[in-house]
Amino acid sequence: MKTDEYYVPSQSHWPIVGAIALFVIAFSAGLLVIEMHNEKASPIGHYGLVVGFCILIYMLYGWFKNVIHESLSGMYSVQMDRSFRQGMLWFILSEFMFFLILFGTLFYARMLSVPWLAGEGNNEMTGQHLWPQFNNVWPLTQTPNGEQNGFMSWQGLPLINTGILLVSSVTLFNAHKSLDNNNISHTVLFLVLTIVLAFIFLTLQFNEYQHAYQVLGLKLDSGIYGNTFYILTGFHGLHVTLGATMICVILIRTIKGHFNKDNIFAFQAVSWYWHFVDVIWIILFLFVYII
Amino acid sequence: MNQHTSIKAATGWRRWVYTTNHKDIGTLYLWFSLIMFFTGGLMAMIIRAELFQPGLQLVEPNFFNQMTTVHGLIMVFGAVMPAFTGLANWMVPLMIGAPDMALPRMNNWSFWILPFAFLILLSSLFMPGGGPNFGWTFYAPLSTTYSNDNTAFFVFAIHIMGISSIMGAINVIVTITNMRAPGMTWMKLPMFVWTMLITAFLLIMVMPVLAGTVTMVLTDKYFGTSFFDASGGGDPVMFQHLFWFFGHPEVYIMILPAFGIISTIIPTFSRKKLFGYHSMVYATVSIAFLSFIVWAHHMFTTGMPLAGELFFMYSTMIISVPTGVKVFNWIATLWRGSITFEVPMLFALAFIVLFTIGGMSGLMLAITPADFQYHDTYFVVAHFHYVLVTGAVFSIMAATYYWIPKWTGNMFHEGLAKTHFWLSLVSVNILFFPMHFVGLAGMPRRIPDYALQFADFNALISIGGFAFGLSQILFVVVIVKCIRGGKKAKANVWEDAEGLEWEVPSPAPLHTFSTAPTIK
Amino acid sequence: MIRSLMLSVFLFAVSSMSMAGVSAFNMRKGVTDTSHQVYNLHMIIFLVCCLIAVVVFGFMFWALLKHRKSKGAKAANFHESTKIEILWTIAPILILVLMAIPATKVLISMEDNSEAQMTIMVTGSQWKWHYRYIEDDISFYSLLKTSDDEIDNKVEKQEHYLLDVDKPLVIPIHTKIKFLLTSDDVIHSWWVPDFSLKKDAVPGFINEIWTNVNDAGTYRGQCAELCGVAHGFMPIVVVALEQDEYKTWLADQLKQKAILIEKEKQSVGETLSLEQLMAIGEQVYVERCAACHQADGKGMSGIFPALAGSKIANVAGDYKTHIDIVLNGKSGTAMQAFKNQLSLVELAGVITYERNAFGNTTGDVIQAEVIQLILNPVQQDSQSSVQSTDQMPEQSKEGVKQ
Ligand code: HEA
Ligand code: HEA
Ligand code: CUA
Ligand SMILES: [Cu+2]
């Protein structure tokens, strides 16, 4: 089925549709944020965002349909396959850098800014003159301007969630292996399991946020501890959502019989992504919750 | 392979919007970059007009700040970076004997989201409240608590530019690692390809950092977080660490491809192989590596601990070594060559001299105690315009003159092009050289009005600025004339140019190397 | 070609020569030991760079002159030489080490904040500086003195255009002074070139620097970090006095401070007419508020709200919120607290002005007493209305003037 030629697709209108989608999304998101900030209830931002995402989904659907079609009709060479794989790996590297900077923020806050505000290092005067009441503790339960909040312990939900994500990595791995053995029904089973686990994870995470807001008084605006907590877990959650959606897609494709031993790129890409999201969680669990 | 492409190839505007062809996309990038260069240049002209004399004449301080900010953003993200991506699109597949970029559709996507990003950024200038006015470095809390309402548009525009750059970079890397013609081994890669490869790595590493940083700016401004606010345990200086962790590699993103271009042009017109190819490659890699550990040299005055100041001073100084190796290698290439002075060569030679001047002032800035005096003055402005305008932009012009016969099939008008060069060379120095003086004498940057002792130099600078701006109109004239017609170009346009790109006819046909060439 | 490159070199050479002395071209030597060290360091690295440039460009121009095709040059065939490449890697490293040694020394001495003889806290805010002499407990604001008319080219610009303040920082010479830098809002940067001092004033943090001035005189600098609309309009002026003159100055300041407290007490008793208050208020408004809210009270949409027709400033009789926002500012916005910046009469004046200018029609007349009541309700009751020091008006038209 494979050719040797490098397939250069003919012209395509999907990219420009995608570009318009991104434009509508970004512009509406801007409007929405500004409207929310000014407590104006003008709905343009909301609608625009919905429209933008609809276009994006339309684009993704059409684009991928194209790609899948080409892939199934054997237009892709081995070299092409390599391009896709490498592309995916570099994309994951960029995602990694994104999380790295969020972790960097966490480390900076814990190891530098909070101690400095409490007067350590070359900031003796800062502590003395500006924040005399402030103490360097982590998790930061009292901010320099005196607001108080609780903090998340690592036992309970977070621990359970760690377990869930780890298991989901295993189930996905098994799905992959079953596919290698051409055992499609097992593949489907394991994929479904993975999706269920992802769903449970997200639900629990949602509960955890509720707990944080209602019981602990730990909010998005609760100072740097809450900030780093939410931005890390939040973006991680977003990635889980994205990953789970992609697994849904490959589930459907598996059922449709798109994959076999040699034609597995999309499957692999998704599972790399999922494992990556898992690894991020492990690091996150360690640094956000435990230490 | 062309059987797929020929089925329903759209023409007219659809050709450009739907295209997956690396040459078309390269052309799009290059035009876009030129338009942005003029847009950003127009803003620079407004800045220079206001600064022509002391006192406020033309614009409000608030608008002045918007001009400064958007000028910086447009030139960096809209003019220089897309120009290099465009050159990479055009030339990398030709240079490595590939049929196209590795991921052609994504290639189209990464181009077409760019104009939209700048549409968002520029449109905010016309909204009530105005555009971004906090400098292209958007230091918090000026960009958070104290910025105008439209900051969200700025943030999302940056996000989109980031997505574009990352996709573009992935494409470049995959093309180079996966699409080389058989026999095109790593150590045979043309220098320009090497530098683009490393630049693309830098992009993949740092654009996400910028994305994370603007996201935090967004939440700080609109959602009550305090990443950059001491009262919640954050630190405004942390913003600067995050920004410059992106920002410093970013400036090398804007110069490494330039190094590649110069390393291509100098040997051609010296009729001699590039001296020290291997050390050029290693130098490029070390510059890229070092660029990740020097970022805080932009922050010497923020009150870092002494140890930090020392570390960043030393690491920054070290960068001069691999950069010096490059300069020396170019000169050794010239040495005992058989030199001619075609227009691309003129720009390349001017690059060597003027970039070195810019690099030397960079080295002076790296000396922490001295930087306490230089920081945030026009001395810094002089430094970075020498490396950016007479560095990056000159290299882009050199590249344009070098390859445009290949793109259009026509030779450009030599006389006009030479006039463009000489006018640019003289005016650019009148424009940027005196900035060293006003900077040392104490004129801060980003001010719409200044004390009387700076008046004479500023008038001179502005005159140089207008002259340089007007000279660029010639550039467009030359380009347009060259597209329209001219002496037909041979396949190998320049006598002794080496490289696969010279083996295909001029103009390069839409599809080249459908079957891989053999590499000697 | 050659000519242009020669031109660049010529420019470079001219600049290096002129840089030796003339101050319009070069960094100034300054008046502290540190600034001399920094100046010397600057000259060393500059000259080293020039030297390298001469060598590098020398080789380049030689090649351009002698190895031209038009002169019949044939290209040689070498393209590698490990020896020379190692050489030109090592040589720059050595040069850099030689530069780094003095740089390190100077830096370490600049960062040595110990054993200061007096301490001044410097606080930046949009767009003025506040100085507080920690040991002597006096403090004041320092604002741009250049008039709007000068800036708008309506009248001739004076000698120290944009570099003049109403009340400069005064310090004694031959004294090691420590400065504690911080900010009320965005990042500013306190820079006095003659002392070779530049450090950011970061909100929420304190940076320390020190100086020890050798020569008496007046030294001018500017804010060196983009801090918003009027970043170009927040100069710094430092007057360095002989030590005994400084003592006299200090004593005088303390005396004036006492007088001022007395005046404030009196003003509480006075009742001024609408016209009087409007006149005082207009002046204060133009100087202190117009930078943001604009002279016509229309503000800048999206950044600074209009006061003309504002809900806060234009509802007759309902002036509590208005007074509150002017006294205490609004945290998290550019609107700062003015209670420590203006005297009671000035506060009363500016609020009255805002309520009756730009087409606002409340007719409200706010007296100093009203402000005093809101600031110090309890003490007012017990009739011992001495303000605590931190509510001292620090900047006042008729008050302390140098
Ligand atoms: C293309 C972009 C580019 C490039 C290549 C560089 C190159 C360098 N830059 Fe520059 N820089 C900028 C763009 C760039 N910079 C920008 C945009 C800013 C301002 C941002 C802002 O605030 O808005 C800035 C600001 C900036 C600062 C901060 C100044 C301040 O705000 O206070 C510093 C400080 O260290 C610095 C240093 C350097 C150094 C050491 C190099 C080195 O890489 C230079 C090395 C080259 C040479 C030294 C010349 C050639 C070498 C030889 C001939 C060998 C022999 C020489 C010796 C041994 C001396 N730069
Ligand atoms: C690659 C990047 C790049 C390029 C090419 C340029 C090009 C130019 N820059 Fe730019 N500049 C920056 C990057 C760049 N700059 C950055 C990053 C900053 C910092 C921003 C900040 O502080 O946040 C800055 C800041 C900056 C300042 C300091 C502003 C301030 O501190 O307040 C000034 C002042 O003179 C300036 C001038 C110029 C000029 C005159 C040109 C010229 O070279 C432009 C020439 C081009 C044209 C003029 C366009 C072509 C011609 C026409 C449009 C025809 C019409 C012509 C006339 C009417 C004469 N720039
Ligand atoms: Cu304060 Cu600039
Ligand atoms: Cu840098």
Side-chain angles (χ1 to χ4, degrees):
Chain A
M1 278 244 291
K2 302 257 178 195
T3 66
D4 285 338
E5 262 181 9
Y6 201 87
Y7 172 69
V8 179
S10 57
Q11 292 166 330
S12 165
H13 63 282
W14 294 119
I16 188 72
V17 175
I20 292 171
L22 282 186
F23 169 67
V24 175
I25 290 173
F27 198 81
S28 320
L31 277 178
L32 181 66
V33 168
I34 294 166
E35 283 158 6
M36 277 162 63
H37 186 62
N38 293 343
E39 285 153 17
K40 269 188 237 141
S42 139
I44 308 171
H46 281 102
Y47 291 142
L49 213 54
V50 173
V51 171
F53 273 108
C54 286
I55 308 179
L56 189 71
I57 289 166
Y58 168 68
M59 177 283 271
L60 288 173
Y61 181 79
W63 189 330
F64 282 123
K65 201 170 141 186
N66 251 4
V67 172
I68 291 164
H69 174 76
E70 289 159 6
S71 157
L72 290 182
S73 47
M75 289 168 174
Y76 290 172
S77 60
V78 179
Q79 196 187 13
M80 187 90 196
D81 221 52
R82 237 181 0 244
S83 289
F84 284 144
R85 273 161 220 273
Q86 291 181 353
M88 188 66 195
L89 282 179
W90 296 123
F91 170 67
I92 289 178
L93 174 68
S94 79
E95 289 274 41
F96 178 79
M97 288 305 293
F98 183 78
F99 277 102
L100 188 81
I101 211 62
L102 300 184
F103 281 113
T105 307
L106 172 68
F107 297 149
Y108 187 98
R110 288 185 60 166
M111 296 178 343
L112 298 174
S113 75
V114 169
W116 280 343
L117 287 166
E120 283 171 31
N122 63 348
N123 275 270
E124 202 187 329
M125 293 294 130
T126 306
Q128 218 175 82
H129 284 276
L130 300 178
W131 314 104
Q133 316 290 340
F134 179 66
N135 291 319
N136 170 19
V137 288
W138 193 271
L140 189 69
T141 45
Q142 180 166 14
T143 61
N145 63 354
E147 277 168 42
Q148 301 202 342
N149 54 262
F151 65 93
M152 274 288 165
S153 96
W154 60 275
Q155 293 116 328
L157 285 186
L159 189 60
I160 297 173
N161 259 346
T162 310
I164 290 175
L165 272 194
L166 283 178
V167 175
S168 79
S169 246
V170 176
T171 54
L172 190 65
F173 178 71
N174 273 322
H176 198 159
K177 271 211 11 216
S178 314
L179 193 64
D180 276 347
N181 297 334
N182 262 336
N183 189 341
I184 299 294
S185 61
H186 269 171
T187 312
V188 171
L189 177 72
F190 280 119
L191 282 180
V192 171
L193 266 179
T194 314
I195 294 169
V196 170
L197 287 171
F199 187 75
I200 299 178
F201 174 89
L202 286 173
T203 319
L204 290 183
Q205 193 70 16
F206 185 72
N207 282 344
E208 191 189 57
Y209 281 0
Q210 273 184 329
H211 177 71
Y213 255 78
Q214 287 158 5
V215 181
L216 300 176
L218 180 64
K219 304 195 170 124
L220 191 58
D221 56 6
S222 303
I224 196 77
Y225 171 73
N227 300 160
T228 49
F229 169 78
Y230 280 110
I231 201 159
L232 274 159
T233 55
F235 272 106
H236 178 265
L238 223 59
H239 282 73
V240 173
T241 315
L242 201 70
T245 318
M246 298 197 309
I247 297 179
C248 288
V249 173
I250 59 167
L251 173 65
I252 296 170
R253 291 189 60 192
T254 314
I255 294 172
K256 282 194 173 172
H258 285 178
F259 298 119
N260 58 45
K261 264 221 300 286
D262 314 308
N263 197 348
I264 203 173
F265 162 71
F267 198 107
Q268 242 179 6
V270 171
S271 68
W272 284 340
Y273 193 75
W274 190 256
H275 294 313
F276 160 74
V277 172
D278 269 8
V279 170
I280 293 292
W281 176 264
I282 304 294
I283 304 174
L284 194 156
F285 184 61
L286 190 68
F287 289 115
V288 175
Y289 291 97
I290 297 187
I291 299 179
Chain B
M1 63 155 313
N2 295 352
Q3 73 257 30
H4 307 297
T5 2
S6 52
I7 302 174
K8 48 163 185 165
T11 51
W13 63 269
R14 283 197 187 80
R15 165 181 169 195
W16 299 101
V17 175
Y18 296 166
T19 181
T20 49
N21 180 285
H22 72 102
K23 300 187 185 78
D24 283 356
I25 295 174
T27 307
L28 285 171
Y29 266 113
L30 289 170
W31 276 115
F32 177 73
S33 150
L34 189 66
I35 293 170
M36 284 295 124
F37 177 65
F38 271 71
T39 316
L42 196 68
M43 292 168 183
M45 293 300 108
I46 295 174
I47 295 173
R48 281 320 326 168
E50 176 57 54
L51 292 177
F52 187 60
Q53 282 183 339
L56 293 177
Q57 289 89 16
L58 294 170
V59 296
E60 295 282 313
N62 190 36
F63 188 71
F64 182 90
N65 288 349
Q66 294 178 28
M67 285 297 104
T68 301
T69 307
V70 182
H71 162 70
L73 288 168
I74 294 237
M75 286 301 198
V76 168
F77 293 101
V80 174
M81 286 169 66
F84 286 135
T85 319
L87 290 170
N89 253 295
W90 246 105
M91 302 318 296
V92 166
L94 283 181
M95 288 175 151
I96 63 174
D100 205 299
M101 295 291 278
L103 304 161
R105 268 178 297 225
M106 195 172 87
N107 201 12
N108 174 309
W109 199 24
S110 46
F111 170 74
W112 274 106
I113 59 184
L114 261 190
F116 290 113
F118 283 91
L119 190 68
I120 297 178
L121 183 67
L122 287 172
S123 67
S124 67
L125 281 176
F126 301 99
M127 294 176 192
N133 58 3
F134 27 66
W136 84 286
T137 50
F138 58 105
Y139 282 5
L142 187 61
S143 62
T144 57
T145 312
Y146 298 90
S147 64
N148 62 42
D149 280 355
N150 295 334
T151 307
F153 289 116
F154 161 80
V155 168
F156 288 115
I158 297 282
H159 271 138
I160 299 210
M161 288 173 211
I163 295 174
S164 162
S165 300
I166 290 172
M167 291 199 301
I170 290 177
N171 225 333
V172 169
I173 297 183
V174 177
T175 307
I176 297 172
T177 52
N178 194 29
M179 307 278 290
R180 279 167 293 133
M184 179 59 83
T185 55
W186 287 109
M187 282 301 160
K188 277 191 191 154
L189 279 186
M191 257 332 275
F192 178 65
V193 179
W194 261 115
T195 53
M196 272 319 301
L197 177 71
I198 290 159
T199 304
F201 271 112
L202 288 180
L203 276 168
I204 288 196
M205 305 281 281
V206 301
M207 290 314 284
V209 173
L210 179 65
T213 310
V214 286
T215 306
M216 287 184 238
V217 165
L218 185 82
T219 59
D220 258 21
K221 175 155 180 67
Y222 296 101
F223 300 104
T225 59
S226 37
F227 290 109
F228 311 130
D229 179 358
S231 65
D235 183 353
V237 175
M238 175 167 75
F239 170 88
Q240 299 182 25
H241 282 288
L242 297 177
F243 179 84
W244 288 115
F245 186 73
F246 148 80
H248 188 81
E250 168 68 27
V251 306
Y252 289 102
I253 287 169
M254 292 188 282
I255 206 67
L256 291 183
F259 290 164
I261 290 164
I262 303 306
S263 306
T264 313
I265 292 176
I266 297 285
T268 299
F269 299 102
S270 310
R271 294 167 180 74
K272 197 158 152 272
K273 260 180 90 167
L274 179 65
F275 187 89
Y277 174 87
H278 287 83
S279 56
M280 283 299 220
V281 173
Y282 302 139
T284 315
V285 176
S286 8
I287 293 174
F289 172 76
L290 286 171
S291 73
F292 283 103
I293 55 164
V294 301
W295 74 87
H297 64 216
H298 297 271
M299 304 165 52
F300 284 141
T301 61
T302 55
M304 270 186 289
L306 177 64
E309 290 177 331
L310 287 173
F311 172 80
F312 286 107
M313 170 165 77
Y314 298 148
S315 61
T316 306
M317 292 171 77
I318 299 286
I319 293 202
S320 308
V321 176
T323 318
V325 167
K326 290 197 157 269
V327 174
F328 300 144
N329 280 345
W330 291 325
I331 289 169
T333 310
L334 290 170
W335 195 252
R336 294 186 47 212
S338 169
I339 301 170
T340 49
F341 299 97
E342 282 84 350
V343 185
M345 182 65 161
L346 291 177
F347 273 100
L349 292 172
F351 173 99
I352 298 182
V353 174
L354 299 176
F355 169 79
T356 302
I357 293 178
M360 302 255 182
S361 58
L363 182 71
M364 295 173 75
L365 290 167
I367 310 289
T368 313
D371 181 66
F372 289 152
Q373 288 285 48
Y374 309 139
H375 176 70
D376 254 316
T377 66
Y378 264 74
F379 192 80
V380 178
V381 180
H383 157 64
F384 67 72
H385 281 97
Y386 263 88
V387 283
L388 281 169
V389 179
T390 58
V393 172
F394 267 32
S395 82
I396 292 165
M397 288 173 177
T400 309
Y401 285 120
Y402 189 58
W403 283 312
I404 202 170
K406 179 60 59 189
W407 302 336
T408 62
N410 304 321
M411 293 305 288
F412 53 83
H413 190 296
E414 176 103 20
L416 277 180
K418 281 206 164 141
T419 319
H420 171 226
F421 170 75
W422 287 109
L423 285 177
S424 297
L425 181 74
V426 173
S427 57
V428 87
N429 282 296
I430 301 175
L431 165 56
F432 294 124
F433 208 83
M435 284 186 182
H436 291 112
F437 304 143
V438 284
L440 289 175
M443 177 169 164
R445 57 192 283 210
R446 295 165 167 169
I447 55 173
D449 191 7
Y450 47 83
L452 298 178
Q453 68 261 36
F454 309 125
D456 295 344
F457 275 131
N458 267 291
L460 184 66
I461 292 169
S462 289
I463 290 169
F466 302 141
F468 183 68
L470 287 173
S471 315
Q472 301 324 308
I473 296 175
L474 262 184
F475 185 46
V476 183
V477 172
V478 177
I479 291 174
V480 172
K481 267 176 78 94
C482 181
I483 294 172
R484 290 258 192 94
K487 210 171 91 214
K488 290 285 161 262
K490 293 178 300 204
N492 194 347
V493 178
W494 314 108
E495 257 182 290
D496 290 278
E498 275 188 37
L500 283 177
E501 77 261 39
W502 305 113
E503 286 172 20
V504 302
S506 305
L510 205 54
H511 296 283
T512 38
F513 300 129
S514 300
T515 45
T518 38
I519 314 292
K520 288 160 280 178
Chain C
M1 177 67 235
I2 314 302
R3 252 178 302 136
S4 87
L5 295 171
M6 298 286 243
L7 184 81
S8 323
V9 174
F10 175 65
L11 267 175
F12 212 68
V14 168
S15 62
S16 48
M17 280 186 300
S18 34
M19 274 187 172
V22 190
S23 69
F25 289 88
N26 201 359
M27 185 188 279
R28 49 197 109 177
K29 284 207 182 74
V31 291
T32 64
D33 293 349
T34 306
S35 75
H36 289 167
Q37 288 167 0
V38 171
Y39 175 82
N40 291 336
L41 189 61
H42 157 74
M43 287 315 286
I44 294 170
I45 49 179
F46 173 66
L47 290 173
V48 170
C49 283
C50 285
L51 226 68
I52 297 174
V54 167
V55 174
V56 172
F57 298 156
F59 275 99
M60 179 170 165
F61 290 124
W62 185 265
L64 294 185
L65 278 176
K66 298 287 169 181
H67 307 152
R68 299 201 234 184
K69 197 180 174 198
S70 57
K71 291 244 166 102
K74 291 272 175 311
N77 202 12
F78 62 91
H79 57 83
E80 224 152 17
S81 159
T82 315
K83 236 187 281 163
I84 193 159
E85 286 175 61
I86 289 178
L87 179 78
W88 69 39
T89 313
I90 304 287
I93 293 180
L94 292 181
I95 298 174
L96 291 176
V97 170
L98 288 182
M99 285 183 183
I101 293 169
T104 308
K105 278 196 195 133
V106 177
L107 186 61
I108 289 175
S109 82
M110 286 175 99
E111 294 287 336
D112 176 14
N113 295 309
S114 58
E115 290 167 29
Q117 290 153 281
M118 68 184 268
T119 316
I120 298 176
M121 180 124 151
V122 180
T123 310
S125 64
Q126 283 179 328
W127 290 281
K128 53 193 162 279
W129 295 98
H130 178 254
Y131 301 109
R132 177 184 211 97
Y133 294 67
I134 302 266
E135 288 87 0
D136 298 308
D137 197 27
I138 52 172
S139 58
F140 54 85
Y141 277 91
S142 175
L143 281 100
L144 175 73
K145 203 163 113 191
T146 306
S147 70
D148 280 357
D149 284 348
E150 278 175 75
I151 294 172
D152 294 334
N153 310 307
K154 287 180 191 142
V155 298
E156 191 158 345
K157 299 181 176 23
Q158 290 174 9
E159 190 193 352
H160 297 299
Y161 177 67
L162 293 187
L163 294 180
D164 217 1
V165 296
D166 57 353
K167 189 160 163 46
L169 175 68
V170 177
I171 56 169
I173 61 172
H174 298 309
T175 311
K176 183 164 180 179
I177 304 169
K178 184 158 85 167
F179 296 96
L180 306 180
L181 300 178
T182 186
S183 163
D184 283 338
D185 36 48
V186 300
I187 301 177
H188 303 265
S189 191
W190 198 74
W191 179 31
V192 183
D194 283 306
F195 305 165
S196 199
L197 281 187
K198 183 189 285 148
K199 200 66 124 192
D200 290 359
V202 182
F205 290 83
I206 287 180
N207 280 331
E208 299 175 35
I209 47 176
W210 65 272
T211 194
N212 193 339
V213 180
N214 293 331
D215 305 329
T218 304
Y219 305 106
R220 295 167 200 277
Q222 275 175 280
C223 175
E225 181 64 65
L226 178 61
C227 53
V229 179
H231 159 60
F233 305 92
M234 57 183 290
I236 295 147
V237 179
V238 183
V239 174
L241 297 179
E242 299 288 345
Q243 286 182 350
D244 46 348
E245 286 177 46
Y246 173 74
K247 290 217 180 71
T248 326
W249 176 84
L250 189 65
D252 188 48
Q253 290 298 304
L254 290 168
K255 213 184 297 159
Q256 295 210 13
K257 181 175 155 186
I259 296 175
L260 203 66
I261 295 178
E262 201 48 42
K263 247 202 185 131
E264 281 288 283
K265 254 197 273 178
Q266 265 172 26
S267 73
V268 176
E270 282 172 35
T271 304
L272 299 179
S273 71
L274 177 65
E275 285 69 34
Q276 281 171 311
L277 282 167
M278 289 289 280
I280 297 170
E282 177 166 14
Q283 198 175 6
V284 175
Y285 183 83
V286 168
E287 276 171 19
R288 309 301 296 276
C289 322
C292 296
H293 296 289
Q294 305 299 307
D296 59 3
K298 298 241 166 66
M300 271 186 212
S301 83
I303 325 176
F304 306 121
L307 300 176
S310 129
K311 279 204 199 81
I312 291 174
N314 195 25
V315 177
D318 183 12
Y319 51 76
K320 283 261 159 39
T321 32
H322 191 170
I323 296 180
D324 179 65
I325 196 166
V326 178
L327 290 185
N328 301 311
K330 187 154 174 196
S331 68
T333 74
M335 183 62 202
Q336 48 200 276
F338 282 95
K339 65 179 172 202
N340 299 338
Q341 303 189 25
L342 302 172
S343 71
L344 293 173
V345 184
E346 286 171 329
L347 287 164
V350 75
I351 292 168
T352 307
Y353 176 74
E354 286 179 346
R355 300 186 75 73
N356 297 293
F358 335 118
N360 286 354
T361 52
T362 57
D364 292 340
V365 181
I366 312 291
Q367 298 292 348
E369 191 174 3
V370 180
I371 311 277
Q372 169 70 348
L373 261 169
I374 289 176
L375 276 174
N376 271 343
V378 189
Q379 288 177 349
Q380 192 62 27
D381 285 353
S382 60
Q383 289 300 320
S384 61
S385 62
V386 183
Q387 291 193 323
S388 69
T389 38
D390 63 318
Q391 279 169 350
M392 257 284 305
E394 283 151 350
Q395 173 67 50
S396 118
K397 277 264 71 94
E398 63 275 86
V400 198
K401 262 274 150 75
Q402 217 232 325

